[in-house]
Amino acid sequence: MNESPQSRPDRPEDSGYNNPSKAPQKTRPLSDKEVDAFHSDEPDPLMSATGTTESDPISPVQVLARTRRIFRTSLSLLILGVLLIGLFLYAAALDFVSNVTSYPLYLQWPIWLLLALVLVLVLYALLRLLLLWKSLQQHPQVALSQADPEDSVRASTELARYLKKLASGGKKQTARWAQFWPDHPEKAADLMGACKRLSGERHMDAETWLEEFEQQIRKPMDQAAANRIRHYWKLVGIKTAISPFPIIDALAVLYNNFLMIGDLAELYGRRINRADIFTLLWAIIFQVYISAQTQEILDSVADEMTKSIQSGIARSLTSFISPKLAEGTVHALVTWRIGKRAMTMMRPVQS
């Protein structure tokens, strides 16, 4: 009494599902060419066009390996730059020693004491920067240019976490900020109050919150950072202009640039990533190289310029003052550029 199942009106007639009367089609054997293509390592053109091949996506292990290679390459270049600058500093130190030993003995001791003092100050600035760096937290930079409301919510959430960390510093963080407004310490207290209020705000929409952050947090911080950068590029310009030795110029550049970066990190309370650290260190090292080479170039230019001056006193003053003024101007501009670059890296939002 087995009856063949009848076809249903809602099911296609050519379907073999639950229909034994329709035998499935026999499969044909693959040709040798198709078997070779199946076992070949070449990607399928159709699959690669849609981006679904196995070789197209990059695994996390490959990303980590690539990041390590980039880090090692950057570190090798930095070490190479340090070695090259070290050679130039060594040559400058030998020149400095030969110049000092040519002076009378009663002048040599003050110069050696001054050099020792500058070295201690540079080491102090570096140690302070390292200790400050270990106390900071690394927060990702946030871009505020997105038009998507979800991006605004994520940005406000990330920035609120950043402000909460700053607000947890309490009076200690307020005292740190007070040094940026020595004449108006109430601005540091206002900045701390804004951090506490915005980090705990839960009833404000994301766009309004970001506008409040822009007015009460970002603008005061950026203004204080610009004032601090101006302070340091003036110091570097003056110190390198009055220093008679290239080695003193290099140490003055290191000391003031380390302090400037430390102050900016203390202001923003944010640790930058390794690539940015290498960029800043390379910029400072390059400036040290400039300080070791600029004086000789400017001295030779000044000698050519003063050949037409007849007076001996005027020639001596011009040959000494003009290259030092030019050198101080160059170092002031480079310090300003490094400060602006560090400011862009350390602020919590992308410029």
Side-chain angles (χ1 to χ4, degrees):
M1 299 293 296
N2 292 331
E3 296 181 359
S4 61
Q6 301 295 324
S7 62
R8 294 172 55 183
D10 57 346
R11 180 169 297 171
E13 288 297 329
D14 57 349
S15 174
Y17 176 76
N18 200 20
N19 192 353
S21 62
K22 292 184 176 293
Q25 296 181 354
K26 294 183 179 180
T27 58
R28 64 177 180 84
L30 296 176
S31 63
D32 295 339
K33 184 178 181 180
E34 291 173 336
V35 172
D36 294 338
F38 178 78
H39 292 288
S40 175
D41 294 333
E42 297 180 359
D44 190 351
L46 180 61
M47 299 291 286
S48 60
T50 57
T52 56
T53 59
E54 294 182 358
S55 60
D56 195 16
I58 301 177
S59 65
V61 177
Q62 293 175 330
V63 173
L64 182 59
R66 184 178 300 176
T67 305
R68 288 178 175 174
R69 286 196 299 269
I70 294 174
F71 173 72
R72 291 172 181 172
T73 304
S74 303
L75 183 60
S76 301
L77 292 176
L78 181 63
I79 293 175
L80 179 61
V82 170
L83 291 176
L84 292 176
I85 300 303
L87 293 176
F88 285 113
L89 288 178
Y90 178 71
L94 292 179
D95 183 62
F96 172 78
V97 171
S98 63
N99 290 331
V100 172
T101 53
S102 64
Y103 296 153
L105 188 60
Y106 65 89
L107 291 179
Q108 292 184 22
W109 284 105
I111 295 176
W112 290 119
L113 291 176
L114 177 61
L115 178 62
L117 177 61
V118 174
L119 284 174
V120 170
L121 290 177
V122 171
L123 293 177
Y124 161 74
L126 181 59
L127 180 62
R128 175 191 166 188
L129 182 61
L130 292 176
L131 293 177
L132 175 65
W133 218 255
K134 295 179 72 69
S135 65
L136 297 177
Q137 297 292 327
Q138 187 168 359
H139 296 276
Q141 276 191 331
V142 176
L144 301 181
S145 58
Q146 298 96 339
D148 192 351
E150 294 184 0
D151 293 335
S152 299
V153 172
R154 285 193 292 268
S156 61
T157 303
E158 189 62 43
L159 290 174
R161 190 178 297 113
Y162 161 74
L163 294 182
K164 186 177 181 180
K165 181 62 180 178
L166 291 179
S168 63
K171 294 182 179 180
K172 186 176 180 181
Q173 182 64 41
T174 305
R176 288 179 178 177
W177 283 337
Q179 65 176 335
F180 298 98
W181 295 280
D183 299 330
H184 302 280
E186 69 276 2
K187 291 186 177 181
D190 295 340
L191 184 60
M192 176 57 68
C195 289
K196 291 181 179 180
R197 185 177 62 85
L198 289 178
S199 63
E201 181 63 49
R202 294 294 183 270
H203 304 289
M204 189 183 300
D205 61 284
E207 294 183 358
T208 306
W209 193 95
L210 291 175
E211 292 178 0
E212 293 287 333
F213 176 86
E214 179 80 9
Q215 296 296 325
Q216 301 183 21
I217 304 294
R218 192 195 66 82
K219 286 187 176 180
M221 283 186 171
D222 288 351
Q223 184 61 40
N227 294 336
R228 209 62 178 173
I229 294 170
R230 186 183 306 113
H231 168 74
Y232 279 108
W233 69 252
K234 288 180 179 178
L235 282 180
V236 170
I238 294 173
K239 290 179 180 179
T240 53
I242 64 177
S243 172
F245 302 108
I247 188 67
I248 301 296
D249 295 344
L251 295 176
V253 167
L254 286 175
Y255 173 71
N256 288 279
N257 278 272
F258 285 156
L259 286 183
M260 179 179 65
I261 293 177
D263 286 350
L264 294 179
E266 203 167 28
L267 172 65
Y268 289 108
R270 178 178 172 271
R271 184 193 302 175
I272 58 180
N273 55 36
R274 293 176 177 176
D276 293 340
I277 292 174
F278 287 145
T279 301
L280 290 178
L281 288 178
W282 178 255
I284 295 174
I285 291 172
F286 182 72
Q287 189 180 5
V288 172
Y289 168 74
I290 292 176
S291 67
Q293 301 297 313
T294 301
Q295 188 170 358
E296 297 179 1
I297 297 174
L298 294 177
D299 287 342
S300 61
V301 173
D303 291 338
E304 295 294 331
M305 293 174 58
T306 55
K307 287 181 179 179
S308 59
I309 300 177
Q310 301 298 326
S311 175
I313 297 177
R315 181 182 301 176
S316 300
L317 291 176
T318 304
S319 62
F320 177 77
I321 294 177
S322 57
K324 297 305 294 182
L325 289 177
E327 184 180 359
T329 303
V330 169
H331 288 303
L333 290 175
V334 176
T335 302
W336 174 81
R337 185 69 183 90
I338 293 175
K340 287 295 184 181
R341 185 69 179 273
M343 177 181 170
T344 302
M345 293 176 178
M346 291 182 183
R347 59 167 42 139
V349 294
Q350 295 180 3
S351 58

